[in-house]
Amino acid sequence: MVVLSRIRTIVPFSAGAALASLLLCASIAMAQSPTPVDPQPESVQRFIAMFSDPDVQRFLQQQSQAARHVPEPPLEVPNRDPSFSEFTMRFRAHASALLGAVNSFPLEATRAWAIVEADIRANGGTRPILLIAAFVAAGLAAQWLFWWVSVGWRRWMSRASYRTISGRVVALAARFLWAGCYVLSFGLGSIGFFLLFQWPPVIREIVVGYLLATVIFRLGSALFEVFLTPRAEEEGGFRVVPLARDAACHWAKRLAYLVGWYAFGWVTIRLLDTLGFSLPARQLAAYCLGLVLLLIVIEAVWRRPSRSPSSQTSRIGVRARNWLWTSYFFAAWLLWVVGAMRLFWIAVVGAALPAAIALTKASVDNILRSPATEEDGHKRSTVVSVVVERGIRAALIVAAIVLLAQALDVRLTEMTMQDSPLLRLVRGLLSAGIILMIVDLAWNLVAVLIDRKLGDTEAVLEAGSDRERRRLRIRTLLPILRNFLMILFVAIAIMMALSSLGIEIGPLIAGAGVVGVAIGFGAQTVVKDVISGVFYLLDDAFRVGEYIQSGSYKGTVESFSLRSVKLRHHRGAVFIVPFSELGAIQNMSRDWVIEKMTITVTYDSDIEKARKIIKKIGLELFEDPEFKATTIEPLKMQGIDSLGDSGLLLRMKVMTLPGQQFTLKRRALRMIHEAFHENGIKLAVPTVQVSGGNGDAVGAAAQQTIAAHNVAIAAGPA
């Protein structure tokens, strides 16, 4: 009990409970561990024996349970950015710590090596590097076994077709799966085989860590091999990222080096923490390892394959761009070293996000490209391509926003009164960005669906059929629906973005309603146009492609807007008519049309013969393949319409589909003229007869008058 009272007075409550729990776990681990080589001191034995006392164990359990119910004090996170002087002092302290780490690093390395040597002696003198090499060899053996077993799989992938979208997707999925299994076999053969045995803790951490780094390196190499496929031309494969062969080889190798070195550095820093290195020493090691990453990136930039001179479209030369990229990467590394992490992450995200979006778009377009999606040299987006490309882009932007929020210490879902106005603005901007991305994805999906439906209705069907009428109605209403949805999505996005910025949109909507009423009174004509257009569309008064006439306006309907219709006159002129000015509409493109024709024959013509000829011509035109699909009733003569001054007026009629009557009329009149001429039926023409008592005298007088007129013209003005 004396010992317990001393512990209670020396150690605080919560810290004492935690320390007691750790000591209890240590005693249990010591009890289960094999007998050490060196005998333990007597004081240590008494200390361990004390924990076997039931009273001591009961007390430690009570302290541990009580510590769980004690609420931890909230951490005070400063909400203001440090001033320039504070940042300078922090940098000075950081630099001093790094300089101190330079001096203390050998001592810490010696102490860490002593810990490693102790585990090596406990393991019988086996070095970690030998274990790593041995188990890497085991992993390579397991990998070779998988290579041999999967020979049929590889043969099928080499014969896979990449001509269709489904074939490319299946083949790429098979390649990704094979690469994952290939790396997994190495991991199971190396790490899995290592974990089958009992190893000292430090040896286990070192070997497993570097084996994990090796697995990450090989996984990155396999993924870059699938994405870039440097040997696609020789092996008949498919390259996901549309790059040239030299560029694909260059970036596949460099990116694999970057991933491997990063994994090696990450494992090394964690092991330094395990071996008891101080924070400045770990930071110093991390900066040195990061310098190697910087050199790899700069080497990749300067030695990347240049494009042909004909493809250079930028005004900045290759050398200038290389220097700009070098300056950027060095500046990012320097920001990391000096501890300006906010600026570092802003710089990284600002450069990486546009590149990732462009790379994603090019890759998705390359995978989902198809001759069916291209028309007149223009690519037509599909629903799948929009969902995949816009979805990945939205995910990248949302991930960048979340990363920046964590780097800037901005809680997107929380807001406190202690937040500064700048912090609230940043939170609102980040939230608004997420909202805009979601709305953009929804709008592009809707727009592609509408465009796809319009594309399906481009082919003209049988004139006058129900399908053709449905097609014209769809091409009339869908553009109006697209414009309406675009305005709706924009309004929703603006309102939600303003709400995320902390602006109360309720009064804004009420104010917008009042302003809308005022504008409505001032713009009654515009409102009248919009409402009239809605009722015209609801009544299905006209459709795109129909020929209408309203007052002095007539023409073919080309397109709509919210307030007007565009009419193309048959002579080429375009009328843009507001809906409120249309009034009554004469639609000349619905269902059917009757074309009436008249022809005048002489009074001595055989009318019955003329009727039979016209009927025969009408039947011939009705059976003609050129007019059969558009003729509803054949041409026939209705009889004598009137007795004219020069002959008998015969009336004919024919029923056709709208717009098809003019061609048939011209052909029918030509055939009637030829048939009447062959059968002796004369067409009547107007004539003028002049009669008098003495014809010769009248003719002589007329000739004298003409001669006098010619003499006057020849003489000219005096």
Side-chain angles (χ1 to χ4, degrees):
M1 298 302 294
V2 176
V3 177
L4 294 178
S5 62
R6 289 181 180 178
I7 294 176
R8 188 179 302 172
T9 55
I10 294 175
V11 185
F13 180 75
S14 58
L19 179 60
S21 301
L22 291 176
L23 293 176
L24 179 60
C25 294
S27 64
I28 296 174
M30 291 179 183
Q32 295 177 351
S33 62
T35 305
V37 179
D38 298 332
Q40 296 178 348
E42 184 180 356
S43 59
V44 175
Q45 294 179 1
R46 289 198 306 269
F47 183 74
I48 295 175
M50 181 183 62
F51 284 98
S52 61
D53 188 355
D55 296 334
V56 176
Q57 293 181 0
R58 190 181 306 109
F59 171 78
L60 293 177
Q61 291 177 358
Q62 293 175 358
Q63 298 294 335
S64 178
Q65 293 176 359
R68 296 176 184 175
H69 300 285
V70 176
E72 297 182 357
L75 298 176
E76 295 182 1
V77 180
N79 292 326
R80 63 181 184 87
D81 295 330
S83 62
F84 292 106
S85 60
E86 292 176 346
F87 179 78
T88 305
M89 295 304 296
R90 291 182 184 179
F91 174 70
R92 182 176 180 275
H94 182 63
S96 301
L98 291 180
L99 292 176
V102 173
N103 298 325
S104 64
F105 197 87
L107 180 60
E108 296 186 20
T110 303
R111 186 174 63 248
W113 180 249
I115 298 175
V116 175
E117 283 289 340
D119 269 34
I120 291 175
R121 288 195 301 270
N123 192 36
T126 306
R127 300 288 176 176
I129 187 65
L130 298 178
L131 293 175
I132 294 174
F135 290 108
V136 166
L140 292 176
Q143 200 172 51
W144 176 85
L145 179 62
F146 174 77
W147 177 277
W148 181 75
V149 170
S150 63
V151 60
W153 191 350
R154 290 186 287 108
R155 188 180 297 113
W156 176 84
M157 289 190 298
S158 64
R159 296 195 304 264
S161 175
Y162 297 93
R163 296 181 179 179
T164 61
I165 297 177
S166 59
R168 284 194 290 268
V169 172
V170 172
L172 288 176
R175 286 171 56 186
F176 274 111
L177 182 60
W178 185 90
C181 294
Y182 187 66
V183 177
L184 181 62
S185 63
F186 176 83
L188 293 177
S190 58
I191 300 178
F193 188 61
F194 175 80
L195 294 178
L196 292 178
F197 303 95
Q198 291 292 336
W199 305 96
V202 177
I203 296 295
R204 185 171 60 248
E205 288 291 330
I206 295 175
V207 176
V208 172
Y210 285 114
L211 287 179
L212 179 61
T214 307
V215 171
I216 294 175
F217 168 67
R218 296 188 65 84
L219 180 60
S221 301
L223 291 180
F224 294 133
E225 182 75 19
V226 173
F227 274 107
L228 299 176
T229 316
R231 296 180 297 275
E233 289 79 5
E234 294 84 354
E235 299 177 356
F238 176 77
R239 186 173 294 131
V240 177
V241 183
L243 292 177
R245 181 181 181 277
D246 296 338
C249 296
H250 174 84
W251 288 113
K253 186 182 300 182
R254 267 63 177 189
L255 291 175
Y257 291 162
L258 283 173
V259 171
W261 186 258
Y262 179 82
F264 171 79
W266 174 68
V267 170
T268 301
I269 299 303
R270 290 182 62 89
L271 289 176
L272 292 180
D273 187 18
T274 303
L275 295 174
F277 278 77
S278 62
L279 177 60
R282 298 197 305 270
Q283 290 178 342
L284 180 63
Y287 296 151
C288 294
L289 294 173
L291 184 60
V292 178
L293 279 179
L294 176 64
L295 295 178
I296 295 175
V297 172
I298 293 176
E299 186 272 341
V301 169
W302 280 92
R303 298 190 61 180
R304 75 183 190 274
S306 59
R307 296 175 295 179
S308 60
S310 59
S311 62
Q312 294 289 343
T313 58
S314 176
R315 296 182 179 180
I316 304 177
V318 177
R319 189 178 182 85
R321 280 202 303 272
N322 292 342
W323 277 111
L324 288 176
W325 279 114
T326 302
S327 302
Y328 164 76
F329 288 120
F330 181 76
W333 178 82
L334 195 60
L335 289 174
W336 176 47
V337 171
V338 301
M341 298 307 297
R342 294 186 177 183
L343 294 178
F344 170 78
W345 285 114
I346 291 175
V348 170
V349 172
L353 183 60
I357 292 176
L359 187 65
T360 299
K361 179 174 177 56
S363 301
V364 171
D365 292 343
N366 190 33
I367 295 174
L368 301 180
R369 75 177 189 274
S370 173
T373 61
E374 298 180 1
E375 183 177 349
D376 300 331
H378 299 285
K379 183 179 181 301
R380 295 175 57 186
S381 299
T382 61
V383 177
V384 177
S385 64
V386 169
V387 170
V388 174
E389 190 265 325
R390 296 284 177 169
I392 295 177
R393 188 179 74 169
L396 290 174
I397 295 176
V398 170
I401 291 174
V402 173
L403 179 61
L404 285 178
Q406 293 181 354
L408 300 177
D409 196 17
V410 176
R411 298 178 180 86
L412 295 176
T413 58
E414 299 179 7
M415 181 178 294
T416 61
M417 296 302 297
Q418 290 79 16
D419 290 344
S420 62
L422 180 60
L423 185 59
R424 295 183 182 181
L425 179 61
V426 172
R427 179 187 293 109
L429 290 175
L430 296 179
S431 302
I434 296 176
I435 292 172
L436 292 178
M437 287 303 102
I438 296 175
V439 174
D440 176 72
L441 175 61
W443 159 245
N444 280 277
L445 182 60
V446 172
V448 167
L449 290 174
I450 293 176
D451 292 339
R452 181 180 180 181
K453 190 64 178 179
L454 288 174
D456 295 339
T457 58
E458 289 181 354
V460 179
L461 303 175
E462 183 181 356
S465 62
D466 294 337
R467 296 179 60 190
E468 176 65 11
R469 287 194 292 267
R470 192 182 306 111
R471 184 189 73 87
L472 293 176
R473 184 163 178 79
I474 289 174
R475 294 188 62 82
T476 300
L477 296 178
L478 283 185
I480 301 295
L481 178 62
R482 181 172 53 189
N483 294 335
F484 173 76
L485 290 178
M486 182 185 67
I487 296 174
L488 179 63
F489 275 108
V490 170
I492 292 176
I494 292 176
M495 291 300 175
M496 295 181 68
L498 292 176
S499 177
S500 65
L501 290 173
I503 300 175
E504 294 291 338
I505 62 175
L508 185 62
I509 295 176
V514 174
V515 174
V517 173
I519 294 176
F521 280 112
Q524 296 184 20
T525 303
V526 177
V527 176
K528 184 179 179 182
D529 293 336
V530 174
I531 296 177
S532 300
V534 171
F535 282 104
Y536 276 124
L537 295 178
L538 290 177
D539 293 339
D540 195 18
F542 45 81
R543 304 164 187 162
V544 173
E546 293 184 340
Y547 194 91
I548 66 173
Q549 181 174 356
S550 176
S552 59
Y553 305 110
K554 60 181 178 180
T556 303
V557 179
E558 285 194 344
S559 61
F560 296 92
S561 66
L562 291 177
R563 61 173 299 271
S564 62
V565 59
K566 183 184 293 186
L567 302 179
R568 173 74 65 174
H569 195 268
H570 57 272
R571 295 181 179 176
V574 177
F575 298 105
I576 299 177
V577 187
F579 286 118
S580 61
E581 296 185 10
L582 285 178
I585 294 175
Q586 182 181 359
N587 194 327
M588 292 176 281
S589 299
R590 291 287 176 89
D591 302 331
W592 47 267
V593 63
I594 293 179
E595 180 68 18
K596 293 188 176 183
M597 298 173 283
T598 57
I599 188 171
T600 305
V601 298
T602 58
Y603 279 99
D604 57 352
S605 300
D606 188 349
I607 303 301
E608 183 62 21
K609 188 176 182 180
R611 185 187 67 79
K612 293 180 179 180
I613 291 173
I614 293 174
K615 182 178 180 180
K616 180 181 178 182
I617 292 174
L619 293 177
E620 291 179 0
L621 292 176
F622 189 74
E623 297 297 332
D624 192 336
E626 182 180 356
F627 303 103
K628 185 175 181 61
T630 59
T631 305
I632 300 176
E633 292 183 1
L635 176 69
K636 58 184 178 181
M637 191 182 80
Q638 295 179 287
I640 300 175
D641 185 70
S642 63
L643 303 176
D645 296 334
S646 57
L648 300 174
L649 189 65
L650 305 181
R651 181 176 293 276
M652 301 166 290
K653 73 172 184 178
V654 62
M655 180 183 291
T656 66
L657 296 178
Q660 307 297 323
Q661 68 272 24
F662 305 108
T663 305
L664 188 144
K665 176 182 178 181
R666 288 189 288 268
R667 175 74 66 84
L669 291 177
R670 180 173 64 83
M671 294 176 66
I672 290 173
H673 177 265
E674 294 174 355
F676 279 9
H677 180 72
E678 293 174 358
N679 289 274
I681 300 176
K682 297 181 180 180
L683 299 178
V685 294
T687 57
V688 177
Q689 295 181 356
V690 180
S691 60
N694 190 356
D696 295 337
V698 174
Q703 291 180 357
Q704 291 178 0
T705 303
I706 292 174
H709 180 69
N710 292 334
V711 170
I713 292 176

